[in-house]
Amino acid sequence: MKRTGLLLTGMLILTGCLAYAWQTLPHQQSELYMQEDFGAMQDEPEQAEQIVMRAEEYGYAYSMLPAEEQTLYLEIRDALINFEENVRLSSYDKDEISHAFQCVLNDHPEIFYVDGYTYTEYTLGDILRKITFTGTYRSSPEEIQQKQELIDSYVNRCLSGMPNDADDYTKVKYIYEYLIHHTEYDATVEDNQNICSVFIEGRSVCQGYAKATQYLLNEAGVFSTLVLGRVVGGEGHAWNLVRINGQYYYVDTTWGDASYQAVGGSTGYPNEKIPTINYDYLCVSTEQMNLTHELANVVELPECNSMDDNYYVREGFYFTQWDEEQIERIFREEYEKGSVYVTLKCDSYEVYSLMYAALITNQGIFKYLDCPDGLVSYSDDERQYSMSFWL
């Protein structure tokens, strides 16, 4: 007896959104976008799996994923780079798709044009047969090309000023200073979650600063990746992890872009002598970073336990014990260089307390500063074990 019947195939399309920071919004934001019933349509035939040759991937987030999710990562990466539509994914897990998507964007600041993505579920009855992925974009390919040309111009201009014989520490320091001198913090600027705000507008917020730092360091041949987390007790934040001489350090260019406020001295201290760069966040350890930052990254990060290439260590401003000869040398050399301020960093609260007592409580600072009016302008940070003096 011949029988006829219907196979019902359903397709469900949902959207995924790019979070401002991984920890500030749910890991998967999606809503019902469209649902269609194909009625009597047969389920599409299964096709033989194709072998896809993919470019090598060196991203840090990618390296920390299990093999199955690395495959998913590469599928999403290639779809976004090539503007592909309805790419069949190897995973049916929506949380895994969202996680891999965020990892791609963490590793690739050059993918600045992505708003989010949509995925489509194909079902046969109650059985999920496949999921396809399509990126959503802020700009057309033509507009992206125009922006990329402006980005390339900025990058070439920046890197052309880097010393030819610069080691990795010098490269990190140079880019940290360059971005701070050429960027203003502005939460109202367009594209402030990507590199366009920094490289084209010269204004951004933390994620723009961090992605621009990552982009420039990678172009300069220095390992860097994006780090997401929070300010202790506060809002979401982004900074960077870098590797110098085989050791990992944190760099927060956003928090480096700050002016100290002179306290304990003249209230009319000249504005031109207020520094624009805070070096407390240039190549720091996990222990120091945890004083002010909380990690909530998409993948596990290594422990940063070296101080060898910390700014204060490399520049000779770091104290492991109270040392009057080192103090005298620092102030003499900074006056000779024409510096307008100097910051001293201690490795512990005990050393910081000895320094504070000697220089401030007992007024020993007057031995090293030229103070014709008898006033000293300084700033001290007990949490960072640091003290800054205006010369």
Side-chain angles (χ1 to χ4, degrees):
M1 177 177 177
K2 184 177 181 180
R3 299 183 179 221
T4 61
L6 296 178
L7 288 175
L8 299 181
T9 303
M11 181 178 77
L12 186 64
I13 301 178
L14 298 99
T15 62
C17 299
L18 170 59
Y20 156 71
W22 180 255
Q23 76 288 352
T24 61
L25 292 175
H27 292 190
Q28 169 67 41
Q29 283 202 337
S30 55
E31 58 184 3
L32 183 63
Y33 180 73
M34 182 172 67
Q35 183 173 350
E36 297 182 13
D37 187 349
F38 284 82
M41 288 181 60
Q42 296 281 337
D43 183 33
E44 65 181 18
E46 291 292 329
Q47 297 180 353
E49 185 176 347
Q50 295 182 343
I51 298 176
V52 179
M53 299 299 293
R54 302 189 184 278
E56 287 191 80
E57 175 59 54
Y58 301 99
Y60 178 81
Y62 171 81
S63 72
M64 299 300 292
L65 297 175
E68 296 79 6
E69 199 169 342
Q70 285 185 338
T71 298
L72 177 61
Y73 173 111
L74 294 175
E75 293 164 350
I76 292 173
R77 181 204 65 181
D78 289 357
L80 296 178
I81 291 174
N82 298 315
F83 300 92
E84 298 176 42
E85 297 182 355
N86 299 316
V87 174
R88 184 167 186 166
L89 299 179
S90 56
S91 174
Y92 294 167
D93 187 325
K94 273 77 75 177
D95 287 336
E96 192 172 70
I97 293 168
S98 178
H99 184 247
F101 172 77
Q102 185 66 50
C103 286
V104 170
L105 295 189
N106 272 33
D107 283 343
H108 293 277
E110 73 276 11
I111 303 179
F112 59 83
Y113 43 81
V114 172
D115 262 339
Y117 62 91
T118 64
Y119 60 86
T120 305
E121 294 181 333
Y122 293 82
T123 61
L124 178 61
D126 293 331
I127 301 174
L128 179 60
R129 300 302 300 269
K130 74 172 183 178
I131 291 181
T132 62
F133 174 96
T134 302
T136 58
Y137 305 100
R138 302 179 61 85
S139 308
S140 68
E142 294 75 21
E143 291 170 330
I144 292 169
Q145 180 59 37
Q146 292 172 359
K147 289 183 177 181
Q148 186 63 55
E149 290 174 0
L150 295 173
I151 290 168
D152 292 343
S153 177
Y154 181 106
V155 172
N156 291 335
R157 192 165 57 249
C158 168
L159 297 184
S160 66
M162 182 180 292
N164 293 328
D165 59 348
D167 62 4
D168 284 353
Y169 164 78
T170 304
K171 292 177 181 179
V172 174
K173 178 173 177 281
Y174 172 85
I175 288 170
Y176 184 86
E177 293 174 336
Y178 189 96
L179 284 172
I180 289 171
H181 284 311
H182 292 83
T183 314
E184 294 181 12
Y185 190 93
D186 185 352
T188 67
V189 69
E190 189 178 0
D191 288 328
N192 62 23
Q193 298 303 299
N194 63 60
I195 59 176
C196 291
S197 55
V198 175
F199 294 153
I200 299 175
E201 303 296 334
R203 294 175 290 142
S204 194
V205 297
C206 61
Q207 188 151 289
Y209 275 82
K211 287 194 171 187
T213 301
Q214 178 187 12
Y215 190 100
L216 287 170
L217 285 174
N218 291 165
E219 287 291 312
V222 179
F223 166 87
S224 175
T225 191
L226 184 72
V227 178
L228 297 176
R230 308 186 68 84
V231 176
V232 170
E235 68 279 1
H237 192 50
W239 60 100
N240 297 97
L241 177 78
V242 304
R243 185 172 59 229
I244 302 173
N245 295 322
Q247 300 292 332
Y248 289 98
Y249 303 87
Y250 286 121
V251 173
D252 189 340
T253 313
T254 309
W255 278 31
D257 192 355
S259 296
Y260 286 97
Q261 295 297 318
V263 296
S266 172
T267 57
Y269 206 76
N271 288 334
E272 65 270 15
K273 285 199 170 185
I274 297 178
T276 58
I277 299 180
N278 179 355
Y279 289 101
D280 282 347
Y281 303 96
L282 179 54
C283 301
V284 301
S285 66
T286 298
E287 180 182 9
Q288 182 174 342
M289 208 63 172
N290 285 345
L291 296 173
T292 51
H293 296 57
E294 294 178 349
L295 280 174
N297 203 48
V298 294
V299 293
E300 186 178 355
L301 295 169
E303 187 76 11
C304 304
N305 51 24
S306 174
M307 288 291 289
D308 292 347
D309 287 296
N310 172 266
Y311 167 80
Y312 293 105
V313 173
R314 285 291 299 260
E315 304 298 328
F317 302 137
Y318 193 66
F319 289 78
T320 58
Q321 61 183 7
W322 170 243
D323 186 336
E324 287 192 63
E325 291 186 3
Q326 185 179 358
I327 289 281
E328 190 279 330
R329 175 190 58 77
I330 289 173
F331 280 100
R332 183 183 70 253
E333 291 179 354
E334 293 307 299
Y335 270 118
E336 291 174 353
K337 291 190 295 186
S339 303
V340 296
Y341 77 104
V342 61
T343 299
L344 312 175
K345 178 84 170 178
C346 303
D347 75 335
S348 66
Y349 181 75
E350 289 72 26
V351 176
Y352 167 82
S353 298
L354 290 173
M355 180 178 291
Y356 188 92
L359 298 181
I360 304 302
T361 305
N362 299 327
Q363 300 188 9
I365 189 62
F366 286 102
K367 292 193 298 183
Y368 312 107
L369 290 183
D370 180 13
C371 304
D373 55 3
L375 295 174
V376 173
S377 292
Y378 72 95
S379 170
D380 69 284
D381 189 335
E382 186 175 289
R383 285 199 304 175
Q384 295 289 345
Y385 312 145
S386 65
M387 304 182 67
S388 297
F389 296 91
W390 279 257
L391 306 181

